[in-house]
């Protein structure tokens, strides 16, 4: 039976991506946050652009607690948690604890950014994943994002 080239390419890419994904390390404690009552919360809002002075600012709520994530990303993406099934499978295979925040040692996303223009400056990039019940935020940055107990001041009217 012959398969369409798109299907074969997609399957090969999925296999490659899962092989390249490794090193889930929970960093909740390092950032000063732990899951409230052992459950995930969710992202309420994510802002980035000139109004935030090119900082990523994301509000995360869990129960009655809220924190704001602030980062200076090289790249970021916001996705439905279901789109990260390869991540969750790999985390489980590695016996990594369920957490709010992870640093990921290797991923196709990190490789893509390291192979881009940013790599010409010799910048050491790191991949961070922040998990919500419905939404996840991935950040590629030089430094770990900060968690704040109140929304940071911004230039615009956000």
């Amino acid at each position: 039976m012959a398969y369409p080239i798109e299907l074969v390419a997609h399957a090969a890419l999925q296999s490659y991506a899962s092989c390249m994904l490794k090193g889930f390390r929970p960093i909740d404690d390092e950032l000063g946050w732990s899951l409230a009552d052992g459950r995930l919360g969710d992202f309420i809002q994510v802002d980035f652009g000139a109004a935030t002075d090119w900082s990523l600012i994301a509000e995360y709520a869990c129960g009655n607690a809220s924190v704001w994530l602030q980062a200076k990303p090289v790249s970021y993406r916001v996705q439905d948690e279901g789109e990260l099934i390869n991540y969750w499978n790999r985390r489980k295979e590695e016996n990594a604890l369920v957490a709010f925040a992870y640093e990921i040692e290797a991923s196709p996303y990190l490789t893509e950014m390291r192979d881009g223009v940013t790599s010409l400056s010799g910048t050491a990039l790191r991949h961070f994943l922040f998990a919500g019940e419905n939404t996840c935020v991935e950040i590629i940055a030089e430094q770990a994002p900060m968690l704040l107990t109140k929304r940071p001041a911004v230039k615009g009217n956000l």
Side-chain angles (χ1 to χ4, degrees):
M1 172 186 281
Y3 294 99
I5 189 68
E6 295 85 9
L7 183 61
V8 173
H10 179 72
L13 183 59
Q14 292 292 72
S15 176
Y16 172 75
S18 65
C19 291
M20 293 285 301
L21 185 61
K22 68 176 183 174
F24 276 78
R25 185 174 65 85
I27 59 170
D28 291 17
D29 291 341
E30 292 172 36
L31 296 175
W33 173 263
S34 60
L35 292 174
D37 300 325
R39 57 196 167 97
L40 289 174
D42 217 343
F43 286 94
I44 305 302
Q45 183 172 339
V46 178
D47 297 313
F48 179 79
T52 63
D53 196 25
W54 304 106
S55 285
L56 175 101
I57 298 173
E59 181 182 359
Y60 185 88
C62 187
N64 292 329
S66 284
V67 291
W68 284 262
L69 180 67
Q70 184 175 23
K72 286 286 195 180
V74 168
S75 179
Y76 77 95
R77 56 189 183 189
V78 179
Q79 298 185 81
D80 181 277
E81 44 72 41
E83 294 300 323
L84 300 174
I85 194 72
N86 286 339
Y87 284 46
W88 309 136
N89 289 338
R90 177 60 71 180
R91 183 195 67 203
K92 186 176 180 179
E93 289 169 7
E94 293 181 3
N95 294 315
L97 297 174
V98 173
F100 159 63
Y102 299 92
E103 184 167 357
I104 300 174
E105 177 185 327
S107 71
Y109 184 32
L110 182 58
T111 299
E112 178 183 353
M113 292 299 109
R114 284 181 174 162
D115 289 345
V117 172
T118 305
S119 68
L120 298 175
S121 68
T123 303
L125 298 177
R126 298 162 65 189
H127 183 178
F128 301 95
L129 170 65
F130 296 89
E133 190 171 295
N134 296 298
T135 306
C136 297
V137 176
E138 292 182 86
I139 298 171
I140 304 293
E142 293 178 48
Q143 298 177 7
M146 295 184 301
L147 285 182
L148 309 168
T149 56
K150 63 180 185 173
R151 182 173 176 78
V154 294
K155 294 187 328 185
N157 294 327
L158 295 176

